[in-house]
Amino acid sequence: MEPAIVTPSAVRGTLGSHLARRLVEAGVRDVFSVPGDFNLTLLDHLIAEPQLNLIGCCNELNAGYAADGYARSKGVGACVVTFTVGGLSILNAIAGAYSENLPVICIAGGPNSNDYGTNRILHHTIGLPDFSQELRCFQTVTCFQAVVNNLDDAHELIDNAISTALKESKPVYISISCNLPGIPHHTFATDPVPFTIAPKLSNQEGLKAAVEATAAFLNKAVKPVIVGGPKLRVAKAQQAFIEFAEASGYPIAAMPSAKGLVTEQHPHFIGTYWGAVSTGFCGEIVESADAYVFVGPIFNDYSSVGYSLLIKKEKAIIVQPNRVTIADGPSFGCVFMADFLTALSKKLKRNTTAVENYRRIFVPQGIPLKLEKDEPIRVNVLFKHIQGMLSGDNAVIAETGDSWFNCLKLRLPENCGYEFQMQYGSIGWAVGATLGYAQAATNKRVIACIGDGSFQVTAQDISTMIRCGQKTIIFLINNGGYTIEVEIHDGPYNVIKNWDYTRLVEAIHNGEGKCWTAKVRTEEDLTEAIATATEAEKDSLCFIEVFVHKDDTSKELLEWGSRVAAANCRSPNPQ
């Protein structure tokens, strides 16, 4: 006899209620979803949890991007899709979250538990009696996979998946059979033990040896520098990084993918280190140092500007979340970043030589001239005005493309958030990520800078932002194509069909919720639009379309594009 199925109002004692409570305990308050017949009952149980808010997205890709953006602000994100047809649609977003070390819990409503082990062919599959395709795809982009098709071990699989996501700071995949969420089971009869994650502890002997060897290396250097990297986030070491910087007196730079993780208001902050496209005078100070400490770096062809960094291994100390490597060796494992930086701070001689060198050579950046009346707007003028908008009450989301380079030059006020997706570099990421980040960071007004080509990939979820009552300001930079691709390798495929973007957003708005749009062609238009967005329409989603010339790019993109193109076009090595 089949057990009785419980309605969502009787939320205790079921798999669905257990999952909902565990998500809340992990820190999730908003779940991004797209309904499908395999997940509908599960969605009922998530809705029944009073501390969870279910947000329906226009498609699975954006739901995944939203969970990515949410995790950047909240520390963990969650999304729910249906079996295979939904799972494979969200896969690209989950891959991006994996590359950026974000704990995203991806939940798929799976087949009925009775169908496992049979030779049946189900809908939403590729027509073979094999239910493992979705699982096999997720195995490559998640750190743990749980297929829940039986109640006896469901609680254990769910708890292991969520705890692994938090411990590893990577996405996980949970598939839950569609007939199980509402069935009572004795393992869910009482409230679960409160959810906790055991702290990671460094090997004390290894920590001591790593600190002594590093201190000896740095204390004999003449002009050492510090460069923060993106893995500061996964290591939860931002505070320890500041302690280290304060104690050492060294100048602080940030890799581009670490912007927003390193304070830019510290008196020793010298800018963004990105090889040949570094901010002014920063690259020269870093690359001329006789010792550099890279804290949590990721070196790839993009961050190394086509492998052109002038960094020498014998001068470098590389601090990763659980390992420290000094020059050509030694390397110390099971040494955690925060522990190491805090302990190292107590062993260093203060040395401000490189900071003083930077101040000697530094010349302030020229301020873009005010344009003549009715002169077409230029990108550098646009970003001069965006700089003037920023405060600690804002966060900046930079889409893949020239917005990387323009936003990178913004000087972030204290507590101003900043996010972009450098490792994966998926165009279209910013719309969903803005939705998720703004939903989590309710104390900040998000400013998103999105190119027209990227916007065309994921535009639909402007709708969800309006439904959620978000107050984001979106600058849609309309230059008629995929500009970042143009600067790497041009062709007719980089030109896109132009849209009337503001009218599209007005159609999506359709008179429901608060939304305001503007078209900007001159500096006067821009000044007026910003004033309206920050005053009269401060409680609305504001969409500002800025028309710029197709060749109006940052000088950094021109340099970077040429070097990346050269790296892509290297001839095959002789066999």
Side-chain angles (χ1 to χ4, degrees):
M1 180 178 173
E2 288 290 323
I5 294 192
V6 178
T7 61
S9 59
V11 294
R12 298 296 175 188
T14 63
L15 186 158
S17 66
H18 177 83
L19 175 61
R21 281 177 287 168
R22 281 305 200 214
L23 290 174
V24 169
E25 285 185 337
V28 174
R29 294 296 178 271
D30 300 273
V31 178
F32 302 92
S33 68
V34 177
D37 60 323
F38 285 116
N39 70 13
L40 297 176
T41 304
L42 176 60
L43 295 181
D44 285 339
H45 285 79
L46 297 182
I47 289 171
E49 169 54 57
Q51 295 186 71
L52 274 185
N53 178 36
L54 197 69
I55 297 176
C57 295
C58 297
N59 59 50
E60 291 87 358
L61 179 62
N62 275 339
Y65 287 152
D68 169 315
Y70 192 91
R72 290 166 184 268
S73 175
K74 200 82 169 175
V76 60
C79 47
V80 183
V81 295
T82 196
F83 180 56
T84 305
V85 69
L88 299 192
S89 289
I90 205 171
L91 194 68
N92 188 51
I94 300 303
Y98 189 97
S99 77
E100 301 273 326
N101 299 294
L102 297 169
V104 171
I105 300 162
C106 183
I107 303 161
N112 186 291
S113 61
N114 298 301
D115 289 329
Y116 282 91
T118 69
N119 205 36
R120 294 171 180 155
I121 295 176
L122 294 183
H123 67 288
H124 288 342
T125 69
I126 58 171
L128 297 176
D130 174 7
F131 305 158
S132 67
Q133 182 195 18
E134 179 180 81
L135 170 64
R136 285 182 281 120
C137 290
F138 274 96
Q139 282 172 336
T140 61
V141 295
T142 57
C143 66
F144 187 92
Q145 306 83 37
V147 177
V148 179
N149 55 19
N150 137 14
L151 288 172
D152 289 337
D153 61 355
H155 65 292
E156 183 180 358
L157 287 171
I158 288 169
D159 286 2
N160 282 346
I162 294 174
S163 61
T164 304
L166 297 177
K167 284 189 293 189
E168 302 296 326
S169 200
K170 294 279 191 185
V172 295
Y173 163 80
I174 304 174
S175 171
I176 295 181
S177 288
C178 60
N179 60 325
L180 298 185
I183 301 176
H185 192 264
H186 64 87
T187 54
F188 308 125
T190 59
D191 284 343
V193 174
F195 193 84
T196 58
I197 300 292
K200 292 182 177 180
L201 300 175
S202 295
N203 177 304
Q204 292 304 302
E205 290 300 316
L207 175 62
K208 182 180 178 183
V211 167
E212 288 178 355
T214 304
F217 186 92
L218 292 175
N219 285 336
K220 67 183 180 185
V222 177
K223 45 183 183 178
V225 299
I226 306 168
V227 184
K231 290 188 179 179
L232 276 166
R233 188 205 305 269
V234 64
K236 296 179 172 60
Q238 287 104 311
Q239 188 54 47
F241 181 86
I242 292 300
E243 288 176 30
F244 169 45
E246 291 279 356
S248 67
Y250 306 166
I252 311 163
M255 297 184 75
S257 46
K259 190 174 178 69
L261 300 177
V262 175
T263 176
E264 299 185 10
Q265 297 304 313
H266 192 282
H268 289 184
F269 181 75
I270 63 170
T272 301
Y273 174 63
W274 201 354
V277 294
S278 300
T279 53
F281 310 98
C282 175
E284 293 83 356
I285 291 296
V286 171
E287 293 182 342
S288 66
D290 58 342
Y292 10 76
V293 185
F294 281 87
V295 183
I298 294 177
F299 295 109
N300 62 23
D301 50 340
Y302 273 16
S303 67
S304 67
V305 197
Y307 312 114
S308 66
L309 299 184
L310 301 179
I311 294 297
K312 295 180 178 171
K313 189 177 180 183
E314 62 269 20
K315 296 181 182 180
I317 293 171
I318 308 296
V319 185
Q320 292 293 12
N322 58 1
R323 178 168 292 275
V324 177
T325 302
I326 302 170
D328 294 313
S331 186
F332 302 90
C334 202
V335 173
F336 294 106
M337 185 184 288
D339 294 345
F340 172 75
L341 295 177
T342 298
L344 181 62
S345 300
K346 300 176 174 63
K347 298 287 187 180
L348 293 177
K349 298 175 185 173
R350 189 170 176 81
N351 182 342
T352 59
T353 302
V355 171
E356 291 157 12
N357 288 347
Y358 172 77
R359 290 172 179 162
R360 286 188 192 99
I361 67 171
F362 179 75
V363 177
Q365 186 176 1
I367 302 299
L369 297 175
K370 183 175 175 62
L371 299 178
E372 296 298 324
K373 183 174 174 54
D374 298 329
E375 184 180 347
I377 192 76
R378 294 201 302 263
V379 168
N380 58 6
V381 174
L382 167 63
F383 279 89
K384 177 185 77 171
H385 285 271
I386 293 175
Q387 177 71 70
M389 298 171 67
L390 298 184
S391 74
D393 296 326
N394 295 117
V396 176
I397 305 289
E399 176 59 284
T400 300
D402 199 22
S403 290
W404 278 2
F405 301 91
N406 289 306
C407 289
L408 203 66
K409 291 181 280 189
L410 297 172
R411 189 67 177 254
L412 301 181
E414 199 66 36
N415 298 318
C416 180
Y418 185 93
E419 297 294 343
F420 77 140
Q421 191 196 55
M422 180 162 208
Q423 172 60 40
Y424 203 57
S426 184
I427 65 166
W429 164 86
V431 173
T434 296
L435 163 65
Y437 191 98
Q439 192 63 26
T442 54
N443 60 332
K444 294 185 184 294
R445 192 173 193 193
V446 176
I447 297 173
C449 299
I450 305 176
D452 52 342
S454 298
F455 185 73
Q456 288 196 7
V457 179
T458 49
Q460 305 97 308
D461 272 281
I462 293 286
S463 171
T464 312
M465 296 179 194
I466 296 170
R467 286 177 66 191
C468 293
Q470 295 182 358
K471 303 170 185 178
T472 295
I473 301 173
I474 295 174
F475 287 97
L476 188 284
I477 302 167
N478 185 345
N479 58 11
Y482 296 119
T483 304
I484 191 168
E485 313 290 9
V486 168
E487 301 309 334
I488 296 174
H489 183 88
D490 200 7
Y493 31 75
N494 291 325
V495 179
I496 60 175
K497 170 73 176 70
N498 209 352
W499 294 356
D500 190 334
Y501 293 98
T502 55
R503 290 183 67 188
L504 172 69
V505 171
E506 286 162 8
I508 291 171
H509 174 214
N510 198 24
E512 298 175 8
K514 292 185 176 181
C515 177
W516 175 81
T517 68
K519 291 184 185 292
V520 165
R521 290 183 168 86
T522 67
E523 188 170 15
E524 290 77 14
D525 293 345
L526 178 63
T527 302
E528 183 179 331
I530 289 174
T532 303
T534 54
E535 295 169 15
E537 298 291 344
K538 67 179 187 297
D539 294 325
S540 300
L541 179 86
C542 295
F543 184 90
I544 302 171
E545 180 181 3
V546 184
F547 293 86
V548 299
H549 192 278
K550 68 181 181 65
D551 295 325
D552 186 358
T553 65
S554 63
K555 71 179 184 65
E556 290 82 6
L557 175 56
L558 298 177
E559 172 82 16
W560 179 89
S562 299
R563 290 175 181 263
V564 169
N568 287 351
C569 294
R570 286 167 296 157
S571 298
N573 290 327
Q575 297 301 311

